[in-house]
């Protein structure tokens, strides 16, 4: 067999032997992320389990829908959404959502942190798994 013709500039170079490992991405240690995400998720499941075990059976469908929507929207301790959005996602009328919010607040399962409105933005709520005592 004949050897393949060699083209100019296509020689195989030997591997670089460098003592500088800063530029080698494969030698880097993987970044270790803090485990706060798991802890927060565990706390959210504990809250949800507590709500289901001790409170769910005493609520009507509209109250459950509103509580679950606000619980899912909770970030940094508060949920921020409008009553119209809660009503749309929960299959309720806006008036039904407002009544459910009032009932949940009266039972201590919800606190209105900020009352929104026209030209004031969305309301903010704090969701609780058990009634305040």
């Amino acid at each position: 067999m004949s050897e393949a013709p060699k083209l100019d500039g296509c020689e195989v170079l030997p591997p670089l032997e460098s003592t500088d490992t800063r530029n080698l991405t494969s030698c880097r240690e993987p970044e270790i992320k803090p485990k706060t995400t798991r802890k927060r998720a565990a706390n959210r499941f504990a809250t949800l389990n507590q709500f289901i075990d001790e409170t769910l059976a005493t609520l009507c469908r509209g109250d459950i829908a509103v509580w679950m929507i606000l619980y899912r929207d909770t970030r940094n301790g508060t949920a921020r959404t409008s009553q119209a959005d809660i009503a749309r996602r929960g299959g309720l009328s806006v008036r039904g959502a407002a009544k459910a919010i009032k009932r949940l607040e009266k039972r201590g399962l919800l606190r209105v942190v900020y009352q929104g409105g026209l030209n004031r933005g969305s309301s903010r709520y704090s969701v609780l798994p058990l009634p305040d005592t």
Side-chain angles (χ1 to χ4, degrees):
M1 278 195 183
S2 66
E3 206 173 303
K6 291 190 178 188
L7 300 173
D8 291 335
C10 293
E11 295 86 22
V12 177
L13 299 174
L16 291 174
E17 293 184 22
S18 174
T19 57
D20 185 18
T21 58
R22 287 178 289 171
N23 295 332
L24 300 176
T25 56
S26 62
C27 294
R28 287 188 185 162
E29 292 287 325
E31 287 186 37
I32 299 172
K33 293 182 180 179
K35 293 186 179 183
T36 56
T37 308
R38 284 187 181 171
K39 190 172 184 179
R40 272 188 269 151
N43 289 342
R44 285 189 55 86
F45 276 113
T47 302
L48 186 59
N49 289 338
Q50 192 175 20
F51 172 77
I52 290 170
D53 292 342
E54 300 179 30
T55 309
L56 184 71
T58 64
L59 300 176
C60 67
R61 182 219 176 264
D63 295 353
I64 294 168
V66 169
W67 191 92
M68 295 293 284
I69 289 166
L70 291 173
Y71 177 74
R72 191 184 83 174
D73 288 351
T74 299
R75 301 287 180 268
N76 299 325
T78 60
R80 184 178 186 169
T81 188
S82 67
Q83 289 181 359
D85 188 45
I86 293 169
R88 180 187 55 78
R89 292 191 285 162
L92 305 167
S93 66
V94 176
R95 187 173 181 172
K99 285 182 177 181
I101 289 168
K102 291 281 186 201
R103 285 191 302 266
L104 289 170
E105 189 176 17
K106 191 174 186 178
R107 293 187 77 171
L109 295 169
L110 187 71
R111 255 184 328 158
V112 178
V113 177
Y114 173 78
Q115 183 65 48
L118 188 62
N119 296 326
R120 291 190 307 186
S122 300
S123 297
R124 286 192 298 271
Y125 307 94
S126 177
V127 182
L128 309 166
L130 297 172
D132 279 341
T133 52

